[in-house]
Amino acid sequence: QAAGPLAGRHVLVTSGPTHEPIDPVRYIANRSSGRQGHAIAAALAALGARVTLVSGPVALPDPAGVSVVHVESAREMLAACEAALPADAAICAAAVADWRSAGEATQKLKKVPGAPPPPLALALNPDILATLAAHARRPGLVVGFAAETENVVPNAIAKRRRKGCDWIVANDVSGDVMGGAENTVHLVTEAGVEDWPRLPKAEVAARLAARLAAQLAEPETRP
Ligand code: C5P
């Protein structure tokens, strides 16, 4: 039986990129490594939480003590998240592809000599964070990420309202954050903005898990 401040709590975490198929062999993706999301899942488990990690395709091992659901596309990620509810908290750290191919070909698209390239029409993917934040079985604390290269904090404050989540972890990805080992983040809550120093991703995860545990320990306060 798990011990720690999050014992008996269930936390849902999304991590990694999504892959959006174009045809059976090609896909649209992004540069997310999943390192921050996986570190958060591990940190929550270390505090005793039951963690469901819904992960897109990553090159990382499954964190110990975490139940991992492997998905590829945004729509699969959303379905896995909804299937994992109820949860006491959700942390959406995945870099979900905003768009998918509008018409997924069931056969490999053929390169026809002399013909122009095929058009790639895009369709909007579901917003997993916003969906969980508005869900009938909404987790008590919903946390999103904001990866920005400029106006990091103002954009994160606006994003918090737009998405309907409780906290936004804003990270400045203008440098070597994506795929790197360190992260500089700002925690945006109802109460204001905290600037955290540049830290290893594992340390960002540990601090966030501790904050989450403190929040869930206060049943009367809205996150
Ligand atoms: O809208 P934007 O991608 O900037 O928001 C980032 C936050 O929203 C992250 O927490 C990310 O996991 C989440 N998100 C999501 N589903 C999407 C797009 C973003 O859950 N389709």
Side-chain angles (χ1 to χ4, degrees), residues 14-16 74 77 91-99 125-132 143-148 159 162-163 165 167-169:
T14 72
S15 184
M77 185 172 277
I91 301 185
C92 294
V96 183
D98 292 312
W99 306 289
N125 264 335
D127 189 312
I128 296 164
L129 173 61
T131 302
L132 292 176
V143 183
F145 271 71
E148 306 280 356
K159 187 163 296 182
R162 196 167 65 242
K163 302 267 191 172
C165 60
W167 297 352
I168 286 275
V169 181

Side-chain angles (χ1 to χ4, degrees), residues 143-200:
V143 183
F145 271 71
E148 306 280 356
T149 54
E150 56 184 0
N151 299 322
V152 178
V153 167
N155 284 337
I157 291 170
K159 187 163 296 182
R160 181 179 164 276
R161 297 209 176 282
R162 196 167 65 242
K163 302 267 191 172
C165 60
D166 302 299
W167 297 352
I168 286 275
V169 181
N171 53 343
D172 188 337
V173 293
S174 55
D176 54 359
V177 163
M178 281 200 129
E182 294 189 322
N183 210 350
T184 307
V185 311
H186 313 267
L187 181 65
V188 178
T189 72
E190 175 94 77
V193 181
E194 289 171 29
D195 302 319
W196 292 7
R198 183 175 172 94
L199 295 165

